Amino acid sequence: MLPSTSETSSATRQTGGTKLARIVFDEATIARRVRELGRDITAAYPDGDLLVLGLLKGSFIFLSDLVRRIDRPLQVDFLVAASYGEHTVSSGNVRLVYDPETTLEGKHILLVEDIVDTGKTLNKLVALLRARRPTSLEICALLHKHVAEHLELEAKFVGLDAPTLFLVGYGLDHAENFRHLPYIASLT
Ligand code: IMP
Ligand code: MG
């Protein structure tokens, strides 16, 4: 789908002139799925008392839209794991550079991730979070490429099935660029 003329000039300004290959998910599609995910999560936690753990930086826009669609008492905290650097292929080297302040023991944890690709990041994090004995642990991913060979824990909530392309926008970056785009586009 190509942006209209006015969107094209805005898109060109937003990307600093870099041409993105194609808009894969537009704003309306993302907003509709986020609303639906919010409804599903609300139904899945009738008692609330949820700790929504956003994996930074990629989930920051998704998480902020998502929590406003969850109609339950909840708390928000973040994890920062570093992996890709400037590459577009997962290295599998996951480092935790910020650990949540909040105690996880005895809580319902919902780990919010931008995209599941090889699953290496999630596999490391799931092991780490399970060791802290939460009452429950589930994953909500905006995008899922469905290419992971092994997932310690499959995402219970998935927004959109993603093509096996490198995607940017709505939080997703390439070398820290393009996170602010309101849509999701493929880089090549
Ligand atoms: P995984 O460990 O291969 O599953 O990758 C997890 C992380 O890599 C995600 O949280 C993203 O930050 C990043 N990532 C994976 N695929 C993409 C992509 O297509 N675009 C941007 N970032 C990606
Ligand atoms: Mg990233």
Side-chain angles (χ1 to χ4, degrees):
M1 184 197 321
L2 291 171
S4 71
T5 314
S6 62
E7 282 173 335
T8 306
S9 52
S10 157
T12 306
R13 283 197 304 276
Q14 282 178 319
T15 61
T18 302
K19 276 221 166 71
L20 299 172
R22 185 170 71 88
I23 294 182
V24 177
F25 299 113
D26 63 15
E27 282 187 70
T29 304
I30 297 168
R32 178 174 51 77
R33 283 301 293 141
V34 171
R35 270 198 309 276
E36 289 166 357
L37 285 172
R39 276 202 289 270
D40 292 348
I41 293 166
T42 300
Y45 296 92
D47 302 324
D49 282 330
L50 196 56
L51 176 61
V52 181
L53 266 187
L55 183 53
L56 290 179
K57 300 174 193 170
S59 74
F60 82 109
I61 294 180
F62 173 46
L63 179 129
S64 66
D65 285 345
L66 180 68
V67 289
R68 284 177 283 183
R69 298 289 176 183
I70 302 174
D71 207 5
R72 294 283 183 245
L74 60 79
Q75 297 177 342
V76 175
D77 208 333
F78 296 97
L79 288 170
V80 183
S83 63
Y84 275 25
E86 298 202 354
H87 306 286
T88 56
V89 178
S90 180
S91 64
N93 295 322
V94 181
R95 274 185 311 128
L96 208 55
V97 291
Y98 169 80
D99 212 339
E101 303 275 327
T102 334
T103 315
L104 307 188
E105 186 163 353
K107 295 195 177 146
H108 293 292
I109 309 291
L110 182 65
L111 182 61
V112 177
E113 164 76 309
D114 53 356
I115 184 164
V116 183
D117 183 5
T118 66
K120 287 175 185 166
T121 311
L122 278 179
N123 286 344
K124 295 252 166 94
L125 289 178
V126 162
L128 194 149
L129 294 175
R130 275 184 175 149
R132 299 188 185 179
R133 306 166 57 85
T135 301
S136 69
L137 175 64
E138 298 293 354
I139 295 165
C140 175
L142 173 66
L143 300 162
H144 201 315
K145 288 188 183 170
H146 299 289
V147 293
E149 280 173 19
H150 166 73
L151 290 174
E152 285 288 325
L153 178 63
E154 183 52 274
K156 179 169 181 172
F157 308 97
V158 175
L160 297 153
D161 293 333
T164 50
L165 298 168
F166 197 80
L167 303 174
V168 295
Y170 198 71
L172 287 92
D173 74 304
H174 176 246
E176 294 303 326
N177 295 308
F178 311 118
R179 290 195 198 274
H180 65 308
L181 302 179
Y183 48 82
I184 293 166
S186 60
L187 199 58
T188 50

